[in-house]
Amino acid sequence: MTLSNSAPAPAAGPASGPATEVVLEAVGLTKHFPVRRKLRDLFTREHAAVHAVDDVNLVLRRGHVTALVGESGSGKSTVARLLAQLYPRTGGDILLHGDAVTVKGGRRFRAYARRVQMIFQDPFASLNPVHTVRYHLTRALKIHGNAGRTADDLERALADLLGRVSLTPPERYLEKFPHELSGGQRQRVAIARALGANPEALLADEPVSMLDVSIRLGVLNLLRDLKERLNLAILYITHDIASARYFADETMVMYAGRMVEGGESETVTQNPAHPYTRLLIESAPDPDRISGLTADTGDRGNGEPPSLINPPAGCRFNPRCPNVMPRCTVDLPPRIEIGDRPGHWAACWLYDPATVAAQQPGSAAAATEEAAR
Amino acid sequence: MTGQPVLEIRNLDVDYGLGDQAVHAVREVNLTLHRGEVLGLAGESGSGKSTLAYGLTRLLPPPGVISGGEVIYHPPGGEPYDVLGLSDRELRAFRWAETAIVFQGAMNSLNPVHKISTQLTDVIKAHQPNLSAAARTARAREMLRLVGISPDRMESYPHQLSGGMRQRVMIGMALALEPQVVIMDEPTTALDVVMQRQILGQLIELRERLGFSVIFITHDLSLLVEFSDRIAIMYGGRIVEEAPAETLYRDPMHPYSQGLLGSFPALRGPRRELAGIPGSPPDLRAMPTGCSFHPRCPKAFEPCPARLPILGQPDAPTGGGRTVACWLHPARVPVG
Ligand SMILES: Nc1ncnc2c1ncn2[C@@H]1O[C@H](COP(=O)(O)OP(=O)(O)OP(=O)(O)O)[C@@H](O)[C@H]1O
Ligand SMILES: Nc1ncnc2c1ncn2[C@@H]1O[C@H](COP(=O)(O)OP(=O)(O)OP(=O)(O)O)[C@@H](O)[C@H]1O
Ligand SMILES: [Mg+2]
Ligand SMILES: [Mg+2]
């Protein structure tokens, strides 16, 4: 079992290669969850809400893996759920092959779900404890019309699904209940169930974070194989940015409900531009830094994650940012091209030459100067 | 760092089911946890890590049964006793006062109908009944901050938090109990690395202050290497290698440990070929003879399918302070 080393060739990158067909697209996607307030707040005018996702743009292409990485609680699962139409959205559009779609359950939701399938973060909650593996998979195959006509067809389809997630031989697993499987085995069943729909787009929410490394490689290889063989468009949500490097063509980084950086995976992981992405990469476990734990935990990583009920003004990373400039606390940074590789951008004022010239990073002098002007 | 033993696991066997139907999920495990130590437990999915953790605290869900062995607990300043011999009442006291477990999938063990604030203050109340309500709330806020959650989320219900946030609440709760032994079963699988580092850093800091010991279960060996003092590797229900973290990383002896270490995608440096471990985990109902890893082992030779290698101190220059169960490194001093 080897994860092939063929890096996504630069030429096939998102911006430079021939544009592959867009399957699913999010434009200005926004989700605010209202917060139930105390009685006295009822008399004030603003409506408190958790700003889980704000103005997110995202494109999933046929035969392409897009990774979404970011802090816990930054809104990654919410983006996936919105794309799967499991939640109504507060704002923005979801386009399937260019057509705006909004479904609210019922038959249209089924039709949508046949094309866009989601694998949930949490295998403990997503499988029903009173049903066997056979039941879960049969149901998925039947709902989406992939069970075949005869009992033999069904049996073959089941064996095939289990084989794809390396639960072999199938008879060892088919009659098991979820509690009889280890955590990793359960997650593989959940993946097999999503594959039962034969979808065009797969939204995989941390599909391997519960799996151990050897199986993880197998499942990532499997997803890559599906992307190539079935031309699937895959959204791969993960907090393991190293796996995004190996497995995703493109990587997007989220912080506190907003996209902060995007580009080819190799570029984003090797030349991260946004200070949050840099922090993320510096924090990745590094066995060569044994016992580095006491020394460097107190540094910049220790900033508090922001409240999403009252998110910071300007750039949401500004309270923790080592490079903060006065402007960052006021104006929301737009997507700015970095210029090192096509398609690499960051939402950060550091990449706006005019802003940097006007405001020396973090220096009080710059602020006073500005005040004097 | 490694002081007196606090928990000694001796020849522990755990089965699921009885008689012929029994699955031997944990076999003849010998492992010692020292005071103030972080002991990492790694191994493939299904290797028995969770079963071992629940077995030693007697929290096994049926049909799990402990079919042999001892778990000797050394209370601070008291006489050691066998946890497996405690009555139900003694056991409750032991669990409450001495151990705290963060379960695998802990993000689902929060009660969905109560707010986070209620659940946290209840735990604090049970543990420190004398604290005033205001002090409890303050302590709960402090715990949330400790695990990186903005205290304005106190009034949220579990479904309103992300997976990683729920996991962090559970870690906060476990630490609120100020236990002697903390068992964490995959506590950070849903967390990003910045948060992982922050929480594990907090844990290490608290451990230095409060002196508890930690059993840290994960399949993420790269994380363990950095954060634990010693690492034990499990395969097919047995410990196959145990060594100080750095030794294990630099010089793994068991081919399975080598395979685990070779399976990580690297974030830094050139993209290298990931080897992984060929084959699939053993069927616990039909274990291979001899060393259960031999069908997947690239270095298997003639004794491997025939005889079970025992865990012991290897006869090698770097053999001190470590044990391995492999015919390539026959044991000089067996443990157990
Ligand atoms: N139903 C809900 N009601 C209120 N707030 C919610 C709800 N669902 C999610 N949130 C909030 O939205 C934010 C984003 O949550 P989300 O689950 O998308 O994060 P995530 O990036 O997937 O995090 P993780 O990596 O921990 O899974 C969090 O602050 C969360 O508390
Ligand atoms: N209730 C049960 N009945 C039968 N077998 C079980 C039961 N619970 C667990 N097992 C089996 O015992 C073995 C060990 O399971 P355990 O959950 O301890 O593994 P683990 O090492 O924690 O794996 P993971 O990393 O996936 O959590 C697995 O093969 C599992 O299938
Ligand atoms: Mg999530
Ligand atoms: Mg487990």
Side-chain angles (χ1 to χ4, degrees):
Chain A
M1 190 177 359
T2 45
L3 190 60
S4 114
N5 216 359
S6 60
S16 47
T20 20
E21 187 190 343
V22 173
V23 176
L24 197 62
E25 185 172 1
V27 181
L29 203 56
T30 299
K31 178 72 186 176
H32 294 174
F33 293 102
V35 180
R36 187 127 48 83
R37 294 169 309 154
K38 303 205 177 75
L39 195 58
R40 69 182 133 86
D41 300 337
L42 288 176
F43 301 106
T44 66
R45 303 221 75 205
E46 328 92 70
H47 296 271
V50 176
H51 296 237
V53 170
D54 264 322
D55 194 21
V56 159
N57 297 319
L58 188 73
V59 173
L60 301 184
R61 293 169 204 278
R62 199 177 279 291
H64 230 73
V65 177
T66 305
L68 183 56
V69 303
E71 188 165 59
S72 161
S74 60
K76 304 181 296 296
S77 299
T78 306
V79 167
R81 292 211 173 93
L82 289 170
L83 287 175
Q85 309 259 10
L86 297 175
Y87 287 152
R89 49 192 180 267
T90 310
D93 281 312
I94 292 172
L95 313 176
L96 183 62
H97 292 292
D99 300 325
V101 263
T102 303
V103 299
K104 292 201 188 83
R107 239 188 354 185
R108 292 191 50 207
F109 176 74
R110 277 230 167 131
Y112 186 82
R114 196 163 301 152
R115 304 172 74 180
V116 181
Q117 270 283 309
M118 177 148 175
I119 300 167
F120 290 93
Q121 180 167 8
D122 182 357
F124 291 85
S126 64
L127 296 178
N128 187 332
V130 305
H131 290 304
T132 58
V133 172
R134 172 186 292 280
Y135 174 91
H136 282 105
L137 298 186
T138 304
R139 200 175 122 89
L141 287 168
K142 287 210 168 130
I143 286 180
H144 300 293
N146 296 325
R149 241 167 284 149
T150 65
D152 276 356
D153 288 348
L154 174 63
E155 220 52 36
R156 247 193 313 278
L158 287 171
D160 181 51
L161 274 184
L162 285 174
R164 285 187 192 175
V165 294
S166 7
L167 289 174
T168 48
E171 34 323 332
R172 202 199 284 174
Y173 299 96
L174 275 172
E175 312 308 329
K176 288 238 157 87
F177 289 92
H179 73 268
E180 294 176 306
L181 299 171
S182 75
Q185 293 165 338
R186 266 180 261 196
Q187 184 63 306
R188 281 180 282 164
V189 172
I191 295 172
R193 181 176 57 179
L195 296 178
N198 241 333
E200 277 177 76
L202 199 59
L203 310 171
D205 190 357
E206 312 256 12
V208 295
S209 56
M210 300 279 193
L211 305 190
D212 62 82
V213 277
S214 52
I215 297 165
R216 194 184 279 204
L217 273 184
V219 172
L220 289 180
N221 277 337
L222 162 79
L223 289 177
R224 168 182 287 178
D225 178 55
L226 295 172
K227 130 188 145 166
E228 276 158 12
R229 226 160 26 93
L230 309 178
N231 249 327
L232 278 181
I234 299 180
L235 178 67
Y236 171 56
I237 296 181
T238 183
H239 56 255
D240 178 8
I241 197 167
S243 75
R245 177 189 182 198
Y246 274 74
F247 172 66
D249 303 284
E250 210 180 331
T251 294
M252 315 278 280
V253 184
M254 241 181 132
Y255 183 78
R258 290 187 179 274
M259 290 291 181
V260 296
E261 182 165 356
E264 286 165 8
S265 299
E266 191 67 12
T267 313
V268 172
T269 54
Q270 301 309 299
N271 298 305
H274 196 282
Y276 173 67
T277 317
R278 288 196 215 140
L279 172 63
L280 195 62
I281 289 190
E282 281 163 24
S283 306
D286 182 354
D288 286 319
R289 183 170 48 184
I290 286 171
S291 79
L293 41 114
T294 31
D296 69 0
T297 39
D299 70 4
R300 315 188 320 235
N302 227 358
E304 246 173 77
S307 156
L308 291 183
I309 297 177
N310 291 304
C315 169
R316 290 187 179 173
F317 189 58
N318 84 64
R320 296 170 73 181
C321 183
N323 309 105
V324 64
M325 301 178 286
R327 182 171 195 183
C328 304
T329 60
V330 185
D331 297 332
L332 182 70
R335 285 186 178 208
I336 300 175
E337 288 291 323
I338 306 302
D340 54 349
R341 301 276 317 163
H344 186 201
W345 60 268
C348 176
W349 288 120
L350 284 176
Y351 300 94
D352 178 36
T355 303
V356 176
Q359 312 187 323
Q360 283 306 306
S363 92
T368 354
E369 220 174 86
E370 184 149 280
R373 245 182 284 144
Chain B
M1 186 71 54
T2 52
Q4 298 300 307
V6 57
L7 210 52
E8 288 177 87
I9 303 164
R10 293 194 194 141
N11 291 314
L12 191 68
D13 284 319
V14 182
D15 298 344
Y16 287 104
L18 297 168
D20 295 346
Q21 286 303 303
V23 172
H24 305 293
V26 166
R27 302 175 176 215
E28 292 166 44
V29 165
N30 285 288
L31 203 57
T32 302
L33 177 68
H34 299 96
R35 207 170 289 288
E37 170 181 67
V38 178
L39 173 64
L41 193 56
E44 255 171 340
S45 175
S47 59
K49 305 180 297 293
S50 301
T51 306
L52 174 60
Y54 304 150
L56 64 90
T57 43
R58 288 180 52 189
L59 281 169
L60 275 175
V65 284
I66 294 168
S67 50
E70 306 182 300
V71 178
I72 309 295
Y73 175 66
H74 299 255
E79 281 299 300
Y81 54 84
D82 185 358
V83 176
L84 304 185
L86 295 180
S87 70
D88 283 355
R89 207 169 52 88
E90 291 166 328
L91 189 63
R92 259 197 304 280
F94 164 77
R95 278 199 207 124
W96 206 229
E98 319 284 3
T99 57
I101 295 201
V102 180
F103 288 102
Q104 185 171 18
M107 46 168 105
N108 299 310
S109 29
L110 288 168
N111 189 331
V113 306
H114 292 302
K115 291 179 190 166
I116 300 304
S117 56
T118 317
Q119 304 197 43
L120 278 169
T121 47
D122 280 357
V123 166
I124 297 167
K125 188 169 169 184
H127 189 59
Q128 291 170 293
N130 310 331
L131 234 48
S132 73
R136 283 201 294 269
T137 307
R139 182 112 171 73
R141 293 175 74 88
E142 179 198 321
M143 264 155 33
L144 281 189
R145 200 172 289 119
L146 198 73
V147 292
I149 296 178
S150 163
D152 66 6
R153 304 307 293 277
M154 279 274 279
E155 303 310 311
S156 298
Y157 288 89
H159 77 272
Q160 298 174 323
L161 300 180
S162 77
M165 289 163 95
R166 276 178 278 156
Q167 224 172 24
R168 282 180 273 154
V169 170
M170 295 304 297
I171 295 174
M173 274 191 192
L175 297 180
L177 299 173
E178 302 190 351
Q180 290 294 316
V181 176
V182 181
I183 298 174
M184 301 209 161
D185 192 359
E186 309 272 9
T188 58
T189 40
L191 301 184
D192 64 280
V193 283
V194 179
M195 199 64 77
Q196 266 181 10
R197 180 166 296 281
Q198 201 169 318
I199 289 188
L200 294 178
Q202 299 277 15
L203 187 73
I204 303 283
E205 214 177 280
L206 277 179
R207 170 196 66 168
E208 267 148 30
R209 214 168 71 217
L210 305 174
F212 56 80
S213 321
V214 183
I215 297 182
F216 192 108
I217 301 175
T218 179
H219 52 254
D220 190 345
L221 199 49
S222 62
L223 196 67
L224 276 189
V225 167
E226 216 184 311
F227 281 94
S228 46
D229 301 308
R230 273 186 317 131
I231 297 177
I233 307 278
M234 273 189 101
Y235 187 79
R238 294 177 188 274
I239 306 279
V240 296
E241 181 161 10
E242 192 207 321
E246 184 160 3
T247 313
L248 194 105
Y249 173 61
R250 305 228 179 269
D251 176 32
M253 284 185 152
H254 200 288
Y256 178 63
S257 315
Q258 292 162 0
L260 276 183
L261 282 165
S263 322
F264 286 98
L267 186 51
R268 299 175 183 85
R271 293 164 60 97
R272 61 183 164 82
E273 189 81 12
L274 295 177
I277 301 169
S280 47
D283 180 359
L284 295 180
R285 283 180 211 274
M287 278 304 247
T289 55
C291 168
S292 53
F293 187 58
H294 86 261
R296 300 170 72 185
C297 183
K299 297 180 182 163
F301 62 122
E302 108 299 307
C304 305
R307 285 179 296 141
L308 179 73
I310 36 172
L311 185 70
Q313 193 174 315
D315 198 359
T318 56
R322 66 186 303 177
T323 54
V324 61
C326 176
W327 287 118
L328 291 169
H329 312 279
R332 193 161 48 101
V333 191
V335 290

